[in-house]
Amino acid sequence: MTEREWWWPAGPGEVGWLLVRTPLMARELPGFDAAAAPEGPGELFAAWLAEAVAAGVLDPHAMTLATVGLDGVPDARVVALRNVDVAGGGWVFAASSDSPKGRQLTTRAVAAMTCYWPAQGRQVRLRGRVETAPAEVAAAEFRKRSPRSRVAGLVARQSEPLESTARYEAAAAEAERRLAAEPDAVPPGHSVYALWADEVEFWQGDAGRRHVRLRYRRAAGGAGWRRELLWP
């Protein structure tokens, strides 16, 4: 490939051409008065999340979690947001400590999270340290899950090579039998984490590219937050 071929789409049928001809933010989007935003990011996130749910956004609790790989290279995947400490600025999620992300967080307990709600053109970005909750908190969280979610958790071996789908079905059947016999069973590696944000950015898209960006930064010593607008 020449530089032109990979850098810029030559014509119809190419992925780049499809993307160029698909406009971004070409819809009516809500406004965002940053001057009226609350003092802390937790309250604003809770309000935006409620609006996303009311607007029928699919999977509004889906967030991209980015960690630092054991090789020093960034790694990312989508996880489910489990709770938010509105006052303290903590975003809660769960994972197996034996999974790649769990091992990465054990080695370097820092992460970033991002969510995007397309129907509203809203993005929220978080960065901060990660804390592991006590084992009893993780166990209680797991036991509140749906039976399907608990079966999946009991299967374990996340991200390991899978010989065949039949092998997975057999493991899932065994997990179902175990759950029926032990309703309170919890995988040994199941963990609950909180990302305590040092920095949170709220991004409101605009069809005219006059995007509104508001960043919160935790003040020194964790006493309150500093707010500032950012150029789009």
Side-chain angles (χ1 to χ4, degrees):
M1 264 190 172
T2 66
E3 180 177 343
R4 178 182 181 280
E5 287 174 330
W6 68 262
W7 181 252
W8 190 253
E14 296 186 5
V15 173
W17 182 263
L18 173 64
L19 296 176
V20 167
R21 295 180 62 82
T22 304
L24 288 166
M25 305 290 158
R27 55 190 179 279
E28 185 176 350
L29 297 171
F32 175 34
D33 181 4
E39 292 299 316
E43 186 179 348
L44 181 55
F45 183 89
W48 275 24
L49 176 62
E51 291 177 19
V53 172
V57 172
L58 297 177
D59 302 326
H61 41 20
M63 300 191 72
T64 299
L65 171 70
T67 51
V68 181
L70 303 183
D71 55 2
V73 178
D75 201 359
R77 77 291 289 160
V78 176
V79 300
L81 182 67
R82 298 293 178 179
N83 199 5
V84 178
D85 184 328
V86 172
W91 277 255
V92 180
F93 60 97
S96 171
S97 61
D98 298 324
S99 67
K101 54 184 169 290
R103 292 193 295 271
Q104 291 164 0
L105 289 171
T106 297
T107 302
R108 296 193 65 179
V110 293
M113 296 183 81
T114 305
C115 69
Y116 177 57
W117 298 312
Q120 297 161 307
R122 285 177 171 174
Q123 176 184 204
V124 182
R125 302 172 58 218
L126 323 164
R127 299 175 70 208
R129 63 183 177 84
V130 176
E131 180 182 2
T132 305
E136 58 269 23
V137 173
E141 188 275 336
F142 186 81
R143 290 174 182 137
K144 291 179 181 178
R145 294 186 170 198
S146 68
R148 288 184 178 180
S149 179
R150 282 182 285 161
V151 165
L154 289 170
V155 169
R157 300 185 64 180
Q158 188 181 74
S159 299
E160 294 182 14
L162 176 63
E163 300 91 338
S164 66
T165 54
R167 179 70 182 85
Y168 178 83
E169 293 300 333
E174 176 58 31
E176 289 178 352
R177 288 191 289 270
R178 181 185 174 189
L179 187 61
E182 305 174 50
D184 290 333
V186 177
H190 182 71
S191 302
V192 168
Y193 302 93
L195 187 159
W196 296 103
D198 294 319
E199 184 177 310
V200 185
E201 180 189 324
F202 293 84
W203 185 95
Q204 173 63 69
D206 176 78
R209 299 299 188 271
R210 297 174 66 88
H211 312 310
V212 179
R213 298 174 62 189
L214 176 66
R215 180 168 61 192
Y216 289 80
R217 285 181 171 174
R218 197 182 291 272
W225 297 84
R226 294 182 290 109
R227 295 181 300 172
E228 59 185 349
L229 285 171
L230 303 176
W231 283 81

